[in-house]
Amino acid sequence: MNIRRWSVGVLAATLFVPGLAACNSGSTEPTAAASQAVPADPKEALRASTKEIEKGNFTFTIAGDGLTGEGLVHKPSNSATMKIKFDDGSGNSFNMDLIHIAPESWVKADFGALADSVPALAKMKDKYQHLDQSKVKDSDSLGINLEEDVDPAGADALVKAITDVQKTGEGAYSGKLDASAVSDADALDADLVKALGDKAKALPFTAKLDAEGRLTELVISVPAAGESKAHDMKVTYADYGSASAAQKPPADQVIEASDETYQMFQ
């Protein structure tokens, strides 16, 4: 995966994939590059709002139906973290903690009740498993490359898909976006977009920018489709230019990843 695919398939799936789906605005300290005037045109303002994300120095949260996640990206140290929690309300739960400090990564996961009957899953519950990135480079779930992609939601692609937008207040916007035109945002799953049909071409959204015009919140309203019920997908960004570098887990909490772990995340 690139940095945006942190969920072992669960992040995108629980937000948007039929069958699996049953904030924090933070610092607004200005940076030298973020002191430009916010474009007056709403569409241009939103397109410009993701430029600071590309620098890879921020914290973020993600939430969808049954899922919450938070983390940080710190490209200056080539590190990142992600914690996600998923609960579908019917006894299925999943928690994951992923740490990446190039060239090393660690993952700890708790598969809830499922782990009681699957020994390979039970092993992951209490320890961080140290990952050999050469073994996960082809994995959509654990391969991390901060040089290629730093955004966990693909906000740049999402705002480029906006078809209609109005400014509703200071730093506040609303409108619609064409999900069928988005091919590079992992928050939008292709299967659900297909299930939505024509509805995908006009998904309602709201967005908030800080005083420097940087995106702090994006909420997309997703209607029911297939086995997925109607829900909101929400992503927030904060601490631009002032995120902290990720820290390695304590050595006494680390074991080497098992072969089952690598197979699981392929």
Side-chain angles (χ1 to χ4, degrees):
M1 75 173 184
N2 292 329
I3 193 78
R4 292 187 283 115
R5 290 190 180 268
W6 296 47
S7 59
V8 193
V10 175
L11 178 58
T14 52
L15 290 175
F16 284 97
V17 178
L20 289 183
C23 275
N24 173 25
S25 62
S27 170
T28 57
E29 289 296 320
T31 64
S35 59
Q36 307 175 56
V38 179
D41 179 80
K43 186 177 291 188
E44 291 305 315
L46 288 177
R47 287 183 174 180
S49 72
T50 62
K51 291 181 179 179
E52 197 71 14
I53 295 174
E54 297 170 6
K55 296 181 180 180
N57 192 334
F58 56 85
T59 59
F60 65 90
T61 70
I62 271 185
D65 185 22
L67 179 141
T68 58
E70 63 179 11
L72 65 87
V73 176
H74 192 256
K75 197 171 181 179
S77 63
N78 207 4
S79 68
T81 67
M82 175 67 175
K83 292 182 179 181
I84 64 169
K85 296 181 179 181
F86 168 67
D87 190 331
D88 68 1
S90 62
N92 297 315
S93 64
F94 172 83
N95 297 337
M96 186 177 80
D97 185 353
L98 179 62
I99 300 172
H100 175 70
I101 306 173
E104 298 181 278
S105 297
W106 300 262
V107 63
K108 180 168 68 173
D110 182 353
F111 289 82
L114 183 61
D116 296 336
S117 57
V118 183
L121 299 184
K123 292 179 181 179
M124 301 186 68
K125 183 175 181 179
D126 299 317
K127 297 285 187 178
Y128 284 92
Q129 296 202 41
H130 178 251
L131 300 169
D132 179 348
Q133 281 293 311
S134 68
K135 294 184 179 181
V136 300
K137 62 182 179 181
D138 295 324
S139 170
D140 282 343
S141 301
L142 293 176
I144 299 172
N145 190 337
L146 290 175
E147 294 302 317
E148 293 183 2
D149 193 0
V150 298
D151 186 0
D156 183 60
L158 292 172
V159 299
K160 286 179 180 176
I162 290 172
T163 57
D164 177 61
V165 58
Q166 303 82 37
K167 187 174 182 179
T168 58
E170 190 61 36
Y173 301 82
S174 67
K176 295 181 179 180
L177 61 81
D178 181 1
S180 68
V182 178
S183 61
D184 191 28
D186 290 325
L188 291 174
D189 179 80
D191 289 336
L192 181 59
V193 171
K194 182 178 180 180
L196 287 170
D198 288 341
K199 293 180 181 179
K201 297 180 179 180
L203 295 185
F205 78 89
T206 61
K208 294 180 181 179
L209 312 186
D210 65 14
E212 282 72 45
R214 302 169 296 192
L215 184 67
T216 58
E217 178 183 288
L218 178 64
V219 180
I220 301 174
S221 297
V222 184
E227 298 177 39
S228 177
K229 66 182 182 182
H231 62 281
D232 286 343
M233 186 283 290
K234 178 179 178 180
V235 57
T236 71
Y237 298 90
D239 302 313
Y240 284 111
S242 60
S244 301
Q247 300 298 311
K248 291 183 178 182
D252 61 357
Q253 296 181 23
V254 176
I255 60 175
E256 288 301 313
S258 64
D259 290 339
E260 290 90 348
T261 297
Y262 293 110
Q263 293 171 5
M264 186 186 311
F265 293 117
Q266 293 303 318

